[in-house]
Amino acid sequence: MNAIIQFMKRHYKIIVLVLALSVGLWSFIPKGKNDPEKDKLLLELLAFVIEKGHYSPAAIDDNFSKGVYKDYLEAIDPSKRFFLQSDIEEFSKYEIDIDDEIKNKELTFFDLTYYRLLQRMEESKDYYKEALDNPIDYSINEDINTDYEKSTYCTTKDELKDRWRKQVKLSTLASLVEKQKVQQDIEKNKNKSPEEKLAEFRTKQGDKLTKEAEDKFKSNLAKKDTITPKTYEQMEKQTRENTLKSLNDNFTFIKELDKEDWFGIYVNTIASRFDPHTSYFPADEKERFDVSMSGKLEGIGARLQKKNDFTEITEVISGGPAWKQKELEAGDFVLKVAQGDKEPVDVVGMRLNDVVKKIKGPKGTEVRLTVKKPDGSIKVIVIIRDEVEIEETYAKSSIVEKNGVKYGVIYLPKFYIDFENKDSRDAGKDIAIELERLKKAGVQGIIMDVRDNGGGSLKTVVDIGGMFIEQGPIVQIKSAAGKKEVLYDTNPKVDWGGPLVIMTNEFSASASEILAAAMQDYKRAVIIGSKQTYGKGTVQNVIDLNQFVRGNTLGDLGALKTTIQKFYRINGGSTQLEGVSSDIVMPDSFAYLKMGERDVDNAMPWDKIDPADYNLWTKQNNFELAIANSKKRIEVNPQMKLIDENAKWREERSKEDVYSLQIDKFKQEQKQLEESNKKFKSIEDYSNQLQFKSLPYEEVQMANDATLKEKRIRWHESLSKDIYIEEAIHVLDDLQSGTVKKDLTTKLKKDKVVKS
């Protein structure tokens, strides 16, 4: 979940002063690898900063200790496949002592669990390797319970070994059954001609069939015809080999984590016990957080992943220096990295994070990559680093036409901002630009889509909210001391005064909830989406811990994101826990699952304060009528009923934790599952019959950028299958003024005369 960041830094200047005095004694401690003094300092800083700066700091006592103990063990061994019951009994001595260790800067509990975990993980390699050594007997009548939260720790190594065996068996069994199904399909269709197969595919795809999809089907068809059927023994062996490789890869990744990484998990567990949104960022995580907030980084513009000992380029980011240079490609393996004309460093076998650090660097500097191309050739590629914008971070818009009226859709993935550069792009500036573009295109209504938007900058949500009203409050915030502050839009300009719909879901949080709540309170927009949004009504500040230690020789201490305020709607209510209730509730697949703030055990409580002074928006006709019409449509829409039925089915399925490991029973279970799921397939196949297209400026960009074009095609295809967008457009249609409706009716009548 993205943090919502308070932009007025003055709120913790007193803490800075106190901390500068309190930790000055630590200034000249020498740095060593995994220095325990650094870990102790982190504990001290954490406790002090949270105690002085948190909105409502929990007491660091025995109850707090129990919470940390439980959460930390769940974090490092969630499926209970490493620790034994004897380990837990040994750890339990510290269950109510962690609070004292924090206060006394002791690391006994962490050290004990860390070294024991390393030991148990090393032992577990033998368990899964032994389980995959020989053919697996799937005729044995046994099952596995995957509800790890309720399961107990194993009392013996033999019991633990058996738990691994069953988990591995479930994985290979699922893979084997899938391979058998694929082979059965091939066998079933082998006597059909290519023309017959293609005809079936065309019938199945219907009007959704594209030339690209047909060409791909033909290509796959040719490949399938050359496949030699495999025996059961061959498939069984292949599933074990694939599972072994996957587990080895996972353990290689885990092995790359050093003690500092694990301590970061421990510290983060402590921080998050104060509330779900207070967290510790080690140095690398802080950098990633900054990138996610600003959508920018300095480097070459490529995404990387670890593949065995190699680092693979998975994507060249559109518009970045590597993209412009046109030599680096997805599928290249990085073998060496050199800074300018310096000696190249071999990065084969190196941790992915360390490789990334070597490739990234300041704008204008040179990096030389020695890469192995997919054809096996070795090439040295010289790239000048530059600022890279991650396109997926930013707002984007599309136009759709219904009954001769144009509407605009703006998708905002997060409320992004670059705190270090006020001249850089941010969500507020970009939304203002998109609104102007859409107005120029002649749209008569706008959908603001903040589904899955986890929040971001408080400043940008105030800016964006202000674009839809003349002047007035957007949100209220309250500090720990009880001081209330109202954040206003003071600009009388209304960037968009026409019909407005805001789309939310249960993953819309924080800043998204502020925008939705403000527009709902003003009766400025119709809120359409899930029953309620996520329910995060708190404000966080990210504090760089390095600033508190003079002459720091301990290395980067990272940062702390801590809850400093709560925000409230302008009507006085909090969005904490309750979120924002939609004006129009639409069923969705997650409606009955527990995944909101209200489902977190240490979430802060709901409350309310006095309302702010504001005036309702009175320029929107048909507001109540549009809501009433939408509710009627949803009530009788068979697709909506099916989605709700699917949501209930998912909730029931989430309680199913026991799987048979006997192949015939497993197949029967899967068959029943598939049969139950068949009726819901039409949800995925739904088409709203609407055509979405990019704005003219983007059409020009796409002509020269194949990657951007592909991304927009995929987005528009997604919108054309989105029943929620379709209903939002219906609502915009109902919100049109009488004049627009009259003009539209006249146009439709003329069209009917011409066509007849």
Side-chain angles (χ1 to χ4, degrees):
M1 187 64 63
N2 296 320
I4 176 165
I5 309 303
Q6 171 55 278
F7 64 97
M8 293 172 291
K9 294 185 178 179
R10 65 179 181 271
H11 292 289
Y12 68 94
K13 286 185 177 178
I14 295 173
I15 302 172
V16 174
L17 176 62
V18 176
L19 276 170
L21 296 172
S22 69
V23 300
L25 297 173
W26 294 87
S27 302
F28 305 104
I29 296 173
K31 179 183 181 295
K33 185 170 176 60
N34 293 327
D35 193 334
E37 296 303 332
K38 178 182 178 181
D39 296 342
K40 292 176 182 179
L41 175 56
L42 266 178
L43 288 179
E44 181 180 28
L45 285 172
L46 178 78
F48 193 89
V49 172
I50 291 177
E51 184 184 350
K52 300 299 179 185
H54 193 277
Y55 180 84
S56 180
I60 303 179
D61 55 17
D62 288 353
N63 281 332
F64 182 89
S65 182
K66 287 179 181 178
V68 173
Y69 176 83
K70 175 179 172 290
D71 291 352
Y72 179 59
L73 291 182
E74 284 179 359
I76 61 176
D77 188 13
S79 57
K80 296 176 181 172
R81 276 188 282 165
F82 293 123
F83 292 131
L84 292 166
Q85 180 59 35
S86 57
D87 297 324
I88 302 303
E89 288 169 5
E90 190 175 352
F91 301 158
S92 66
K93 301 171 191 173
Y94 299 91
E95 186 176 11
I96 60 171
D97 291 341
I98 296 174
D99 56 320
D100 299 314
E101 289 204 349
I102 294 169
K103 293 169 186 174
N104 299 323
K105 302 186 293 293
E106 292 178 8
L107 306 171
T108 311
F109 173 69
F110 168 72
D111 285 340
L112 174 63
T113 53
Y114 168 69
Y115 288 113
R116 187 65 51 81
L117 181 63
L118 294 187
Q119 176 192 338
R120 297 303 184 212
M121 284 195 297
E122 196 62 34
E123 292 168 354
S124 67
K125 289 182 188 177
D126 294 331
Y127 303 156
Y128 74 74
K129 287 177 181 176
E130 182 181 322
L132 293 165
D133 244 356
N134 298 299
I136 298 172
D137 184 356
Y138 295 110
S139 66
I140 300 170
N141 189 17
E142 60 180 349
D143 54 37
I144 181 173
N145 190 326
T146 58
D147 186 353
Y148 304 118
E149 191 175 338
K150 292 180 182 175
S151 63
T152 58
Y153 289 93
C154 296
T155 56
T156 66
K157 288 186 179 181
D158 284 341
E159 191 182 334
L160 187 57
K161 185 189 294 186
D162 194 59
R163 180 170 289 181
W164 271 96
R165 180 190 65 80
K166 284 188 174 184
Q167 187 63 50
V168 166
K169 188 173 182 178
L170 177 63
S171 177
T172 54
L173 176 58
S175 179
L176 176 62
V177 169
E178 187 59 35
K179 285 181 184 297
Q180 287 181 324
K181 278 175 58 182
V182 171
Q183 186 147 302
Q184 284 167 5
D185 288 341
I186 294 172
E187 287 289 319
K188 193 167 97 175
N189 294 319
K190 71 178 180 180
N191 294 323
K192 292 180 182 176
S193 68
E195 290 74 21
E196 287 176 308
K197 294 174 184 176
L198 185 57
E200 286 180 358
F201 179 71
R202 284 171 175 159
T203 302
K204 189 180 290 186
Q205 292 294 306
D207 59 3
K208 294 180 290 181
L209 182 63
T210 63
K211 186 179 182 304
E212 292 82 359
E214 185 168 322
D215 290 343
K216 188 174 181 181
F217 179 80
K218 289 177 182 177
S219 174
N220 289 337
L221 204 57
K223 290 177 185 175
K224 283 181 180 178
D225 286 341
T226 63
I227 294 174
T228 304
K230 291 181 179 177
T231 65
Y232 172 87
E233 288 74 22
Q234 287 173 321
M235 288 188 288
E236 192 278 334
K237 183 180 179 183
Q238 189 178 21
T239 60
R240 285 186 289 114
E241 289 172 346
N242 291 344
T243 302
L244 179 63
K245 182 181 180 302
S246 177
L247 284 166
N248 283 339
D249 287 346
N250 287 338
F251 272 80
T252 297
F253 170 76
I254 292 172
K255 192 175 180 180
E256 287 187 348
L257 300 175
D258 57 25
K259 190 176 181 182
E260 192 171 358
D261 295 319
W262 290 104
F263 188 69
I265 295 172
Y266 178 58
V267 172
N268 206 11
T269 305
I270 296 170
S272 62
R273 280 313 301 176
F274 288 91
D275 78 279
H277 307 288
T278 291
S279 57
Y280 169 68
F281 292 143
D284 291 344
E285 285 295 321
K286 172 61 166 63
E287 189 176 344
R288 281 192 282 272
F289 175 80
D290 290 340
V291 169
S292 75
M293 282 300 298
S294 67
K296 294 185 307 185
L297 57 86
E298 289 187 355
I300 66 169
R303 289 190 170 94
L304 296 79
Q305 73 174 13
K306 199 71 183 290
K307 205 165 190 179
N308 299 322
D309 281 340
F310 294 94
T311 300
E312 181 185 19
I313 304 294
T314 57
E315 182 187 349
V316 177
I317 296 172
S318 180
W323 178 84
K324 292 175 183 174
Q325 198 254 9
K326 299 186 185 300
E327 287 188 75
L328 194 69
E329 300 170 297
D332 289 350
F333 286 96
V334 182
L335 306 178
K336 297 180 181 181
V337 180
Q339 310 302 323
D341 58 0
K342 292 182 180 177
E343 193 69 24
V345 176
D346 191 337
V347 296
V348 176
M350 189 178 288
R351 281 175 23 136
L352 182 61
N353 280 353
D354 293 333
V355 178
V356 170
K357 284 178 185 176
K358 292 185 182 300
I359 294 176
K360 285 173 66 175
K363 176 180 177 180
T365 58
E366 180 185 287
V367 63
R368 292 173 180 260
L369 306 181
T370 302
V371 303
K372 181 181 179 181
K373 291 287 185 179
D375 63 6
S377 61
I378 307 296
K379 188 174 185 180
V380 177
I381 299 175
V382 181
I383 303 174
I384 304 300
R385 299 177 178 108
D386 202 348
E387 189 171 85
V388 180
E389 290 188 343
I390 303 170
E391 185 269 334
E392 292 90 337
T393 301
Y394 301 125
K396 57 187 176 186
S397 61
S398 179
I399 293 177
V400 62
E401 195 168 313
K402 179 179 181 288
N403 295 334
V405 179
K406 286 182 181 178
Y407 297 114
V409 178
I410 301 177
Y411 174 61
L412 184 65
K414 63 181 66 178
F415 291 80
Y416 49 89
I417 194 169
D418 184 346
F419 290 110
E420 305 303 320
N421 181 5
K422 64 181 177 62
D423 297 322
S424 182
R425 66 188 295 184
D426 64 46
K429 294 174 189 173
D430 286 354
I431 292 297
I433 292 170
E434 294 302 321
L435 289 173
E436 285 303 312
R437 287 169 173 163
L438 290 169
K439 283 195 292 186
K440 189 176 178 182
V443 303
Q444 297 297 319
I446 286 176
I447 297 167
M448 275 288 298
D449 186 355
V450 291
R451 290 176 294 177
D452 302 323
N453 182 322
S457 158
L458 186 56
K459 178 186 182 302
T460 60
V461 73
V462 173
D463 291 343
I464 293 169
M467 295 174 193
F468 303 114
I469 62 169
E470 290 171 349
Q471 275 181 318
I474 300 297
V475 64
Q476 304 186 89
I477 53 178
K478 191 178 80 170
S479 64
K483 181 184 176 184
K484 187 180 88 169
E485 185 175 3
V486 183
L487 303 186
Y488 288 90
D489 162 49
T490 57
N491 187 346
K493 179 187 176 186
V494 179
D495 294 73
W496 175 254
L500 178 66
V501 167
I502 294 179
M503 297 188 70
T504 63
N505 62 10
E506 54 274 286
F507 301 114
S508 301
S510 211
S512 302
E513 295 173 286
I514 291 175
L515 179 65
M519 296 302 100
Q520 188 177 60
D521 290 345
Y522 276 109
K523 279 195 173 291
R524 174 64 187 90
V526 174
I527 312 302
I528 181 168
S530 306
K531 184 179 179 182
Q532 68 174 75
T533 53
Y534 186 80
K536 178 182 179 292
T538 55
V539 183
Q540 284 71 43
N541 202 350
V542 178
I543 303 171
D544 184 355
L545 297 178
N546 295 289
Q547 66 183 300
F548 302 141
V549 184
R550 291 182 287 106
N552 179 22
T553 58
L554 290 165
D556 199 324
L557 296 167
L560 182 69
K561 175 165 68 74
T562 186
T563 297
I564 59 168
Q565 294 168 323
K566 288 180 80 172
F567 64 76
Y568 299 81
R569 304 173 65 130
I570 56 176
N571 72 6
S574 172
T575 60
Q576 179 64 15
L577 301 186
E578 293 190 358
V580 178
S581 299
S582 295
D583 297 315
I584 300 167
V585 177
M586 298 183 73
D588 68 80
S589 298
F590 304 101
Y592 302 102
L593 298 175
K594 293 182 177 181
M595 50 183 57
E597 182 96 353
R598 59 197 176 278
D599 302 310
V600 182
D601 68 350
N602 62 328
M604 296 181 72
W606 179 90
D607 63 341
K608 64 179 182 178
I609 59 175
D610 293 334
D613 186 18
Y614 64 99
N615 298 314
L616 295 179
W617 181 266
T618 58
K619 301 176 183 179
Q620 178 60 66
N621 296 326
N622 307 328
F623 195 87
E624 298 302 333
L625 176 65
I627 293 173
N629 286 350
S630 180
K631 288 179 178 179
K632 288 176 185 176
R633 279 191 299 269
I634 292 170
E635 190 176 349
V636 298
N637 188 314
Q639 192 73 3
M640 294 289 187
K641 290 179 180 178
L642 190 63
I643 291 170
D644 188 59
E645 191 179 339
N646 179 240
K648 291 173 181 174
W649 180 79
R650 282 181 182 231
E651 196 264 340
E652 284 300 314
R653 283 294 309 158
S654 69
K655 299 172 186 174
E656 297 293 328
D657 303 310
V658 179
Y659 297 88
S660 175
L661 296 176
Q662 199 275 337
I663 191 165
D664 293 330
K665 288 185 177 180
F666 182 82
K667 284 180 179 178
Q668 186 60 32
E669 288 172 359
Q670 295 306 301
K671 185 179 179 181
Q672 290 173 354
L673 194 59
E674 286 172 14
E675 287 299 319
S676 300
N677 204 23
K678 266 183 187 176
K679 66 188 298 185
F680 304 123
K681 192 176 184 303
S682 62
I683 294 174
E684 296 175 16
D685 297 337
Y686 183 79
S687 172
N688 56 36
Q689 305 299 319
L690 296 168
Q691 296 294 318
F692 296 82
K693 61 181 182 178
S694 291
L695 288 158
Y697 85 97
E698 198 169 66
E699 295 280 359
V700 175
Q701 289 180 353
M702 290 191 298
N704 301 307
D705 189 339
T707 304
L708 178 64
K709 183 178 180 180
E710 177 61 26
K711 287 177 180 178
R712 287 299 177 268
I713 288 172
R714 287 203 301 265
W715 183 43
H716 290 156
E717 284 178 350
S718 174
L719 290 175
S720 70
K721 297 175 72 173
D722 192 332
I723 192 171
Y724 306 107
I725 282 283
E726 179 185 22
E727 181 55 34
I729 292 168
H730 286 321
V731 173
L732 284 180
D733 218 28
D734 288 337
L735 287 172
Q736 297 302 316
S737 67
T739 305
V740 173
K741 285 281 187 183
K742 184 178 179 181
D743 291 345
L744 177 59
T745 303
T746 304
K747 180 180 182 302
L748 290 174
K749 284 180 179 177
K750 286 180 180 177
D751 288 347
K752 188 174 181 181
V753 170
V754 171
K755 288 174 184 174
S756 61

